[in-house]
Amino acid sequence: MWSWVAHRVTGVLIFFFLFVHVLDTALVRVSPEDYDKVVATYKTPIVALLEYGLVAAILFHALNGLRVIAVDFWSKGPRYQKQMFWTVMGVWIVLMAGAIYPVLGHAARVLFGS
């Protein structure tokens, strides 16, 4: 049940990110100076944490989506859905651990120095 809720929540969060991304990208046509200010705010450590959250949401949504497809289209899928869920969680944790440095490395250098 919680994977169902998390799948919907991550889908909505990704949708809102894409909506805001389209809006801020469109800002370059309206006011390039304001666009530059917005992009400058994206280089802060707080936004780096939000980016890490975005990576977490996208990875979970994608991996859980593959699990849902397997449950729906594989004849033995419903029987193994719990094992597939824990496999998804394990892969997600490994990938999130691997994403720490690439996503948060710049923020760590800004906060703690190089």
Side-chain angles (χ1 to χ4, degrees), residues 60-75:
F60 177 80
H61 193 80
L63 294 171
N64 193 54
L66 293 174
R67 183 189 70 85
V68 169
I69 290 169
V71 168
D72 287 346
F73 293 107
W74 181 34
S75 62

Side-chain angles (χ1 to χ4, degrees), residues 9-46:
V9 169
T10 56
V12 169
L13 290 174
I14 293 165
F15 170 78
F16 282 122
F17 163 77
L18 290 173
F19 181 72
V20 170
H21 179 63
V22 168
L23 288 178
D24 72 0
T25 303
L27 187 61
V28 77
R29 304 267 304 172
V30 177
S31 174
E33 297 83 21
D34 289 337
Y35 174 77
D36 290 339
K37 290 177 189 174
V38 169
V39 170
T41 64
Y42 291 162
K43 297 177 182 174
T44 63
I46 292 171

Side-chain angles (χ1 to χ4, degrees), residues 80-99:
Y80 295 111
Q81 68 176 329
K82 193 174 280 191
Q83 292 91 336
M84 287 189 291
F85 172 74
W86 289 112
T87 302
V88 162
M89 292 307 295
V91 170
W92 181 75
I93 288 170
V94 168
L95 291 174
M96 288 307 298

